[in-house]
Amino acid sequence: MCIFISFRGGDGEFVADSLDQHARQRFGNLAVFRSSRSIGPGDVFPPELQRAIDQCRVMLVVVGPNWFARGVDGSRRIDKSDDWVRHEVRSALAKGARVVVVRFNGASRLSPDDLPEDIRGVAVRQDCEVTHRNITHSLPALMDELFRLEPDLRIGATDGLEGLDEWWAGWSGITRPVLPPALPVAGRDAAVRALGDWLAAPPDLFQLRCASYDDGSAFAAAVLDLHHADVRAVRVTSHAGATHCADLPSPLLVVVAASDVDVQALVARGLHVLLLLHVHTSKASEDGLTLPRLSAAQALDVFVEAGLPPARAGKQRVRPDGAWRCCAGSSLPACEPPSGRSTR
C-alpha cells in the first residue's frame, strides 16, 4: 500500500473518490487505500486503518470547508487527540511520509496557527487545489508528480517492474486451490540455504538456472515468504523496468526475468540481483546454482499438508520441464518456453 487517502466524513467524499480513481488508474488497485472502498464489511476499522497508514509512502489529505467541523460539544474535532483524521496526519508526518493537502471548494490554505501542534508540519508543505474547472487535468498532473518524486510508486506502475510479492499473489492465486508457498521450495533445501546465505552477504550477482522464469520467480518469492519476510523484492522483466530500479532505496532484491538487462549496473547501485537463466539455454556457473526439478511425490505431499484432500491432491501434475499444474480446479497456463517468450 503506497498511497493513503485521508478525508473527513461530510467533507469531500467526491474528491477522495476522484483521487482514488486517478491513483488506482496510474498505480494499480493494490497501491491505493481509501477507507470507504478498501475496508470490507465486517473488518475491524482501526487496525485496518493503522496498517494502511504504516505502509503508506504518500498521504493525500482532502481538505474542504468542513475539515474543521465541530462536534456535538461545540469543539473542533481536529483538536481532539482521538480524532482519526488528526491521527492519520500525525502518523504520516511522524513516519516521514510525503503528505500532500488537496484543497477544494475554496478551502483556505492551512495555517500552523489553526492546527494542533502535533500536525502543524502539514501546513508548511506544498499543497494542491482542486476546482470543478481544473479537476480533469490537476489530478492526473498530481499523479505524474508523485510518480516522479516517489520511486516506490513506480513499482507496478511501470512496464517490466512489479513487486515480487504482488507477482506471486497473482500468479499463485489463479489456481484452485491456491498454490502454497511450500510448493516452489519442496525438495530444494540446499537451494533455499544458498539463496539465504547470498542475501545475508553484501550485494552481488547470483545466477539461478531454472526450468522457466516463472519457476525461478516462484522459488525466490516462496523463499522470501517463508524465511526472509523482511526483504523487499521486485521482479524486472524488461530493460525499461530495470532503469526505474536506479532510484529505489536499498536494501533491495531485484529478480531479473529478462535477457536484455544490464545486471552489473544494478549490482553497482548496491542491489542484490538474482538473474534467472533457462536451464536448457545456459551453462552452470560458480556464481549460482541450478534448481532441481520438482517431483510429483513432493507436490502431492505439499498439497496434502496444505489441507487438500488426498484424492484431489493426487490429481496434481508435474510437467517434465519442472513446472507444476493444478488439475483439481483451474489450470495454470504453461510456463514460458526456453526462448523466454511467456505463454501467460
Side-chain angles (χ1 to χ4, degrees):
M1 200 73 65
C2 288
I3 300 177
F4 185 103
I5 299 174
S6 170
F7 65 98
R8 188 178 295 285
D11 182 57
E13 287 92 342
F14 79 93
V15 175
D17 181 66
S18 295
L19 283 169
D20 187 26
Q21 292 182 35
H22 281 83
R24 286 189 290 134
Q25 183 177 5
R26 184 62 188 272
F27 303 112
N29 290 339
L30 295 178
V32 185
F33 180 93
R34 178 174 61 92
S35 58
S36 302
R37 173 185 57 81
S38 303
I39 299 180
D43 289 344
V44 181
F45 208 80
E48 290 294 323
L49 278 173
Q50 189 60 55
R51 187 177 300 111
I53 294 170
D54 293 341
Q55 294 175 351
C56 80
R57 298 284 300 178
V58 174
M59 179 173 287
L60 303 178
V61 183
V62 179
V63 175
N66 295 321
W67 197 71
F68 288 108
R70 297 180 180 274
V72 293
D73 61 355
S75 62
R76 299 190 315 172
R77 293 167 63 184
I78 197 68
D79 291 327
K80 297 182 179 297
S81 60
D82 60 352
D83 178 55
W84 260 104
V85 171
R86 178 177 173 181
H87 173 76
E88 291 166 0
V89 176
R90 179 176 61 240
S91 299
L93 291 172
K95 72 189 293 288
R98 183 179 296 275
V99 181
V100 182
V101 171
V102 181
R103 296 182 290 115
F104 73 98
N105 274 6
S108 301
R109 181 165 293 176
L110 295 180
S111 168
D113 295 337
D114 294 331
L115 297 171
E117 184 175 358
D118 55 3
I119 62 170
R120 286 178 181 171
V122 75
V124 297
R125 302 183 177 219
Q126 183 74 330
D127 63 7
C128 172
E129 184 175 15
V130 173
T131 68
H132 290 290
R133 290 185 176 182
N134 73 10
I135 192 169
T136 57
H137 63 82
S138 63
L139 294 190
L142 174 60
M143 301 308 149
D144 289 342
E145 277 295 284
L146 294 179
F147 182 91
R148 181 181 67 84
L149 294 169
E150 292 293 335
D152 273 359
L153 290 181
R154 302 170 193 172
I155 301 173
T158 300
D159 289 340
L161 177 64
E162 60 185 326
L164 183 63
D165 56 346
E166 294 184 5
W167 173 85
W168 168 250
W171 190 80
S172 64
I174 63 175
T175 68
R176 294 296 179 270
V178 172
L179 294 180
L183 184 60
V185 299
R188 294 169 165 177
D189 294 348
V192 171
R193 289 192 296 271
L195 187 61
D197 291 343
W198 172 70
L199 287 171
D204 202 353
L205 175 66
F206 191 85
Q207 298 181 11
L208 184 65
R209 299 175 72 238
C210 43
S212 68
Y213 285 152
D214 285 347
D215 181 30
S217 298
F219 171 76
V223 170
L224 299 191
D225 188 330
L226 296 171
H227 304 289
H228 303 278
D230 58 328
V231 174
R232 296 174 62 248
V234 295
R235 185 174 187 260
V236 169
T237 57
S238 70
H239 173 74
T243 60
H244 285 285
C245 289
D247 299 324
L248 294 176
S250 59
L252 179 71
L253 167 63
V254 181
V255 178
V256 178
S259 59
D260 62 341
V261 172
D262 185 351
V263 292
Q264 293 298 339
L266 294 175
V267 173
R269 294 168 184 162
L271 306 175
H272 279 85
V273 180
L274 180 64
L275 176 62
L276 305 183
L277 300 172
H278 286 282
V279 69
H280 299 297
T281 59
S282 63
K283 296 181 179 180
S285 167
E286 294 182 357
D287 299 324
L289 58 83
T290 301
L291 279 183
R293 289 168 53 184
L294 178 67
S295 72
Q298 291 164 340
L300 174 62
D301 290 342
V302 168
F303 276 104
V304 170
E305 290 178 6
L308 190 67
R312 293 186 64 198
K315 296 181 180 180
Q316 310 312 309
R317 298 291 183 266
V318 179
R319 290 181 18 197
D321 64 359
W324 48 87
R325 183 175 286 192
C326 177
C327 300
S330 302
S331 295
L332 283 177
C335 291
E336 62 269 30
S339 66
R341 293 173 296 174
S342 175
T343 59
R344 290 175 58 79

